[in-house]
């Protein structure tokens, strides 16, 4: 921790939450991503719901001269952090209280002060679990029947992020089935019965795909120069996939240089599926 004090490119952030702390952590990461030359140190403190727990953490933050980020709903704790930081020369960011205050002001309602309220085991939560089970069950075209039940059907050649994208969307309560595409392979009859608007064709740049496949073979301790990573073979696979997408009339997304989150956002916006998470 002493490195953060002496190295200007080492920033220490204390992320304090009375729940799991994902919101504060994600926001802090998003901000620090704008400074790639900085090596942030994230110190996460979840389930902080008492004065005694908070006091110990704040004393540590003072010793480390950390930036304090917090998302506390428990009554009184956010104000305590603000006061402590002001008195001890620390910088703090309250990611939730200003919004709670404004909502209360506009509606005349009082917040519940319940930590982790967003993580209730309600119907939405169990829908998410169901969607994740669906994604696993119908991964890699295991059962074509899933295409007819899915909210989204992902198509793509090997290493176009079908499985991680399926699981990411499932975490948004979206039921996803996916099918790997291989030239000359049989296309299930069920796919032609799916509304083209629900089908997403994933593609990639040949050079990017070549690098990904070579790295995958190396990771397995195998020769990277195989048919799987051959450039001519890759171009053939992508051509086959793109021709199929044209026949289906589906949306095509090039995942080269795109994160899973970016691709998922394009899919949800194109199909108006962003409302699923809020149902």
């Amino acid at each position: 921790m002493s490195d953060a004090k002496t190295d200007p490119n080492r920033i220490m952030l204390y992320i304090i939450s009375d729940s799991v702390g994902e919101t504060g952590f994600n926001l802090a990461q998003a901000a620090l991503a704008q400074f790639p030359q900085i090596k942030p140190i994230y110190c996460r403190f979840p389930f902080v719901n008492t004065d005694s727990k908070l006091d110990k953490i704040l004393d540590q933050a003072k010793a480390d001269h950390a930036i304090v980020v917090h998302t506390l709903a428990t009554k009184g704790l956010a104000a305590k952090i603000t006061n402590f930081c002001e008195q001890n020369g620390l910088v703090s960011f309250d990611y939730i209280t200003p919004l709670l205050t404004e909502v209360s002001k506009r509606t005349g309602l009082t917040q519940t002060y319940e930590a982790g309220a967003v993580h209730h085991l309600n119907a939405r939560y169990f829908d998410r679990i169901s969607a994740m089970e669906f994604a696993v069950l119908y991964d890699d075209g295991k059962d074509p029947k899933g295409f007819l039940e899915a909210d989204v059907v992902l198509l793509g050649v090997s290493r176009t992020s079908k499985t991680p994208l399926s699981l990411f969307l499932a975490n948004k309560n979206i039921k996803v089935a996916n099918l790997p595409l291989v030239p000359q392979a049989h296309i299930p009859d069920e796919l032609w019965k799916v509304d083209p608007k629900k089908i997403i064709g994933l593609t990639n740049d040949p050079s990017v795909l070549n690098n990904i496949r070579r790295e995958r073979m190396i990771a397995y301790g195998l020769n990277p120069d195989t048919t799987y990573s051959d450039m001519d073979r890759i171009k053939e696979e992508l051509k086959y996939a793109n021709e199929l997408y044209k026949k289906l009339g589906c949306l095509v997304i090039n995942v080269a240089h795109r994160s899973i989150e970016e691709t998922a956002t394009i899919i949800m916006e194109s199909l108006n599926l962003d409302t699923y998470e809020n149902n």
Side-chain angles (χ1 to χ4, degrees):
M1 289 188 178
S2 59
D3 289 345
K5 298 177 183 178
T6 57
D7 185 348
N9 288 332
R10 299 282 284 183
I11 299 293
M12 180 170 291
L13 295 99
Y14 272 43
I15 301 166
I16 306 173
S17 173
D18 45 17
S19 185
V20 295
E22 282 300 307
T23 301
F25 180 59
N26 289 337
L27 288 169
Q29 280 192 312
L32 269 296
Q34 297 295 317
F35 303 92
Q37 68 273 32
I38 290 176
K39 301 173 183 177
I41 301 173
Y42 299 104
C43 299
R44 300 178 64 175
F45 300 92
F47 307 114
V48 178
N49 49 23
T50 65
D51 285 340
S52 59
K53 285 183 180 179
L54 184 56
D55 287 340
K56 293 178 181 178
I57 295 168
L58 291 177
D59 286 339
Q60 287 179 299
K62 180 181 178 181
D64 290 328
H65 197 64
I67 295 174
V68 179
V69 172
H70 59 100
T71 54
L72 294 163
T74 302
K75 193 170 186 177
L77 295 188
K80 184 166 189 173
I81 289 180
T82 299
N83 292 335
F84 181 93
C85 290
E86 287 179 351
Q87 294 170 8
N88 291 276
L90 295 181
V91 175
S92 68
F93 294 94
D94 184 343
Y95 282 159
I96 193 169
T97 299
L99 180 57
L100 292 174
T101 301
E102 182 62 22
V103 171
S104 181
K105 177 181 176 181
R106 294 192 181 197
T107 64
L109 300 174
T110 302
Q111 71 181 84
T112 63
Y113 294 103
E114 180 183 359
V118 73
H119 299 295
H120 276 167
L121 301 185
N122 55 16
R124 188 181 69 172
Y125 174 83
F126 290 107
D127 284 344
R128 181 177 299 132
I129 296 300
S130 178
M132 296 186 77
E133 291 175 342
F134 186 96
V136 173
L137 182 61
Y138 297 112
D139 184 42
D140 276 344
K142 292 174 184 173
D143 186 350
K145 294 178 182 177
F147 299 153
L148 303 176
E149 301 175 28
D151 298 317
V152 176
V153 177
L154 301 179
L155 308 179
V157 301
S158 177
R159 312 317 299 167
T160 47
S161 303
K162 295 183 299 298
T163 296
L165 185 56
S166 294
L167 293 172
F168 184 90
L169 290 169
N171 199 44
K172 302 292 184 182
N173 293 16
I174 299 170
K175 294 189 297 182
V176 185
N178 73 70
L179 176 69
L181 299 180
V182 181
Q184 289 82 50
H186 172 68
I187 299 298
D189 294 336
E190 288 84 353
L191 183 62
W192 302 99
K193 300 176 183 178
V194 179
D195 183 347
K197 293 180 180 179
K198 292 185 177 183
I199 302 175
I200 304 295
L202 303 175
T203 189
N204 207 327
D205 294 345
S207 59
V208 173
L209 197 53
N210 172 262
N211 288 333
I212 292 174
R213 290 187 177 184
R214 284 176 57 83
E215 289 298 324
R216 184 168 180 79
M217 298 301 289
I218 292 172
Y220 284 139
L222 302 174
N223 181 4
D225 297 314
T226 63
T227 302
Y228 180 66
S229 59
D230 179 74
M231 184 63 81
D232 289 336
R233 172 66 179 183
I234 287 173
K235 290 179 179 178
E236 180 186 346
E237 289 182 35
L238 291 173
K239 180 182 177 182
Y240 167 77
N242 287 323
E243 288 176 351
L244 176 62
Y245 300 157
K246 288 181 180 178
K247 292 178 183 178
L248 291 167
C250 65
L251 174 67
V252 179
I253 301 175
N254 190 326
V255 299
H257 311 300
R258 277 200 175 98
S259 67
I260 295 296
E261 293 85 352
E262 289 173 320
T263 304
T265 299
I266 293 172
I267 292 172
M268 290 188 289
E269 287 183 347
S270 69
L271 302 180
N272 294 318
L273 290 178
D274 56 310
T275 55
Y276 273 64
E277 191 178 14
N278 299 317
N279 288 344

